[in-house]
Amino acid sequence: MTNQIGTNVQISADQTALEALAELYPTLSVYTLEQQLDDIDNLRTWTTDTVTFSFPTVESTDYVGNWREGTLYAFTEAQAAATREAIALIGDLIDITFVDSGTDVDAQMRFYNSSAEGTAGGAPAGEGIKGDMWLYDYTPETAAAYNLEYGRYNFNVMLHEIGHIMGLSHTSFTQDSDEYIDNAHYLQNNGAYSIMSYLTASEAGLEWDTAYSATPMIADIAALQSLYGANMTTRTGDTVYGFNSTADRTVFDFDELLDTQGTIPAVAVWDAGGTDTLDMSGFANSSYISLVDGTMSSINGYDVNFGIAADAIIENAIGGYGDDILVGNTVKNVLTGGYGADTLLGGAGKDKLVGDLTNAVTGDFEIDSVVLDGDEEISVEFDGTGVTDLTVEMMISFDDVTGSSQWFTNMPGAWNLMFSGSGNGLWYRANSTWFHTGISHADLTDGSFHRLAVTLDSAETEVKIYLDGVNVKTLDAAAFPDLSMTATEELRINH
């Protein structure tokens, strides 16, 4: 496959999102996740298991004699709701219980607006204003102008400043230039990897649906969990993220996001258990979807905008209408390409790779080079209504193994191919009868890929088998299967 995913960061099937980003900035260092979290971890933490927060309507007496600027105002209801959601997103990540104390002026984390310019957040715990947040550049008259949608500046500010309150610092950077490569210090120093970076995804050359992320990103998650431990109660059931979501956060529900704000922001997922799925089936544009934990994906044609936290295991992925690339991890994955000419790369687990020809415009489906190990399979689903002729074609190569036959099963009309484990080559079966294809064991175990095609011709009631374009066998009516197909048919290759 040659499809490239992304707008400015072009990802191909043989590379990761990070490797593609590195092609834009070849002189920047690539940090490990440990180096990234070290860059934003200031080692100051809350020392209690429970932290209270509030939205006071009066100024705290703690501020008497302490530094502050401007006039303080209470949060609006919309601001308080957005802050509660931001705190909940962080609470999903770490082993800390956050308690909403309403307007209690003595809570540990207190949120105010300030008329002064800028934005400020406090450090964890301590005396006076430490642990509090003041959202600057605010007056009651400007409240209506605050856009608190996911992925907008003001919601991202909430996440960023709460990050400070929980013990995170800014990433290390300089502002000596207008060029990202001069300021970043390392490749991942941008909003795609951390909400604590002052360098946005746009400044790093990334194209997004929104300007900012809507959750802590993979470096933030790693840093917070290194300080407080991971929350192992978060979404322990079978959870779907994206379209048809069953996650308990709106930010992971793409149907609702499109209905309510019309955009899908960059996010990163932490999940503590269950059999989980990334569902990108609603996207018209191509996606690069990686299930490898601690890595980023590029979804819906945008750049590096979906992450899976380190140690979060997501088992399954579903592509959309574009020419997607789906990459599995080390566990057993089900990768479903959906429409388009998709590339499915299972990885090390015992995987199932599923293509879908239903309503496909061209009637073509292509899987990139796949190595099948024991108990793995490729499955291609399609609408067979009215089909009377069929050609199945693949590039194929076998290891020279004995004792374990390789099967191409569930072919429409209940015909099968079998590569014999006893060294007798490739066999075709239809109507419970076996026919040798004329293809020997040696033909397919020479270390090279060969083009194998099986053509079923209903008018001639014959089966033609081709190897590298040469018709090596023609079988007559006795070998022709019943091609009475339904709307749900499947081609399956098993190891």
Side-chain angles (χ1 to χ4, degrees), residues 212-256:
Y212 298 90
S213 66
T215 68
M217 303 305 282
I218 59 175
D220 309 309
I221 297 172
L224 288 165
Q225 291 181 342
S226 74
L227 295 176
Y228 299 100
N231 187 338
M232 299 308 298
T233 66
T234 298
R235 293 181 287 276
T236 56
D238 299 345
T239 307
V240 178
Y241 299 90
F243 295 97
N244 307 299
S245 177
T246 61
D248 54 354
R249 301 290 174 214
T250 299
V251 75
F252 300 129
D253 187 335
F254 291 177
D255 295 290
E256 184 170 351

Side-chain angles (χ1 to χ4, degrees), residues 39-105:
D39 189 42
I40 59 176
D41 180 352
N42 70 13
L43 302 180
R44 299 186 62 184
T45 65
W46 294 89
T47 57
T48 61
D49 295 333
T50 300
V51 176
T52 60
F53 66 93
S54 68
F55 309 96
T57 57
V58 296
E59 185 174 317
S60 169
T61 57
D62 292 345
Y63 295 152
V64 176
N66 279 317
W67 169 86
R68 70 171 172 80
E69 292 180 343
T71 302
L72 298 185
Y73 300 94
F75 262 32
T76 66
E77 290 185 9
Q79 286 178 305
T83 304
R84 290 186 180 100
E85 181 63 13
I87 290 173
L89 288 169
I90 291 175
D92 285 345
L93 309 175
I94 57 177
D95 191 18
I96 286 280
T97 299
F98 292 100
V99 176
D100 187 343
S101 297
T103 60
D104 183 4
V105 77

Side-chain angles (χ1 to χ4, degrees), residues 144-260:
Y146 270 61
N147 185 339
L148 293 166
E149 289 181 348
Y150 297 108
R152 303 302 180 185
Y153 171 77
N154 291 297
F155 189 78
N156 187 263
V157 164
M158 299 289 188
L159 292 170
H160 177 99
E161 299 303 337
I162 296 169
H164 284 317
I165 292 172
M166 298 310 297
L168 303 186
S169 65
H170 294 137
T171 59
S172 56
F173 74 106
T174 54
Q175 291 180 307
D176 298 333
S177 167
D178 292 333
E179 300 296 327
Y180 177 76
I181 198 167
D182 297 324
N183 296 331
H185 293 194
Y186 58 96
L187 183 63
Q188 305 101 310
N189 191 355
N190 61 72
Y193 290 88
S194 175
I195 58 172
M196 305 312 296
S197 178
Y198 267 9
L199 302 173
T200 65
S202 177
E203 288 173 306
L206 308 182
E207 183 74 17
W208 279 4
D209 200 11
T210 61
Y212 298 90
S213 66
T215 68
M217 303 305 282
I218 59 175
D220 309 309
I221 297 172
L224 288 165
Q225 291 181 342
S226 74
L227 295 176
Y228 299 100
N231 187 338
M232 299 308 298
T233 66
T234 298
R235 293 181 287 276
T236 56
D238 299 345
T239 307
V240 178
Y241 299 90
F243 295 97
N244 307 299
S245 177
T246 61
D248 54 354
R249 301 290 174 214
T250 299
V251 75
F252 300 129
D253 187 335
F254 291 177
D255 295 290
E256 184 170 351
L257 287 172
L258 289 175
D259 286 343
T260 57

Side-chain angles (χ1 to χ4, degrees), residues 330-447:
T330 59
V331 304
K332 185 173 183 177
N333 304 131
V334 178
L335 305 182
T336 304
Y339 302 120
D342 304 310
T343 302
L344 311 180
L345 304 173
K350 308 298 184 182
D351 306 309
K352 180 177 182 179
L353 311 181
V354 182
D356 190 348
L357 290 178
T358 306
N359 299 323
V361 175
T362 64
D364 293 333
F365 175 81
E366 185 173 351
I367 296 177
D368 199 35
S369 175
V370 175
V371 177
L372 293 183
D373 201 350
D375 300 327
E376 294 179 314
E377 65 182 59
I378 298 172
S379 174
V380 181
E381 299 170 354
F382 69 100
D383 185 348
T385 304
V387 173
T388 58
D389 303 294
L390 181 71
T391 296
V392 177
E393 184 177 86
M394 67 196 76
M395 297 296 292
I396 192 166
S397 177
F398 288 103
D399 289 336
D400 189 7
V401 295
T402 58
S404 178
S405 297
Q406 316 303 309
W407 289 84
F408 303 75
T409 64
N410 278 40
M411 302 299 184
W415 58 276
N416 303 276
L417 289 173
M418 181 193 71
F419 187 62
S420 171
S422 59
N424 293 326
L426 190 68
W427 291 75
Y428 171 91
R429 185 181 72 176
N431 304 322
S432 301
T433 303
W434 287 100
F435 304 87
H436 196 272
T437 64
I439 299 173
S440 71
H441 191 81
D443 288 335
L444 298 180
T445 58
D446 60 359

